[in-house]
Amino acid sequence: MTKAFDKIVAGLDDARAYLKGNRAGFTVHQIEVSATDVVAIRSKTGLSNGPSLGALVSRSEHSRSGSRVAEGRRDQLGRYSR
């Protein structure tokens, strides 16, 4: 295979070994990420996902999980999914 492929496979092998508990030779870096106020950022920048897209994502997630069937006009749902 290619050199890039070999590097990817080696990385995956390392990850598998780490997950199985073989931690020798690994360095772990832990970072803390503070909560982000998305609403404030969107207000300040004037950017928005729009209410229709958020509703579609929610419907899609519920539909995939089987907890709810997506509702609404098919042409409206299709318009945002492309």
Side-chain angles (χ1 to χ4, degrees):
M1 292 284 155
T2 66
K3 189 174 182 179
F5 178 80
D6 293 338
K7 287 183 176 184
I8 292 169
V9 170
L12 291 171
D13 289 340
D14 287 345
R16 184 181 300 130
Y18 182 86
L19 290 174
K20 288 184 176 181
N22 181 7
R23 307 286 162 85
F26 289 96
T27 302
V28 178
H29 301 276
Q30 293 184 358
I31 60 170
E32 186 175 323
V33 179
S34 61
T36 303
D37 187 354
V38 176
V39 174
I41 293 171
R42 290 190 181 282
S43 296
K44 185 177 180 179
T45 60
L47 299 175
S48 172
N49 276 340
S52 297
L53 182 59
L56 176 64
V57 170
S58 176
R59 287 178 184 163
S60 177
E61 289 171 356
H62 286 294
S63 179
R64 274 187 253 143
S65 68
S67 64
R68 181 176 159 206
V69 175
E71 299 171 357
R73 291 181 20 207
R74 180 170 287 174
D75 63 332
Q76 288 177 330
L77 295 174
R79 178 177 48 189
Y80 294 104
S81 63
R82 294 184 189 145

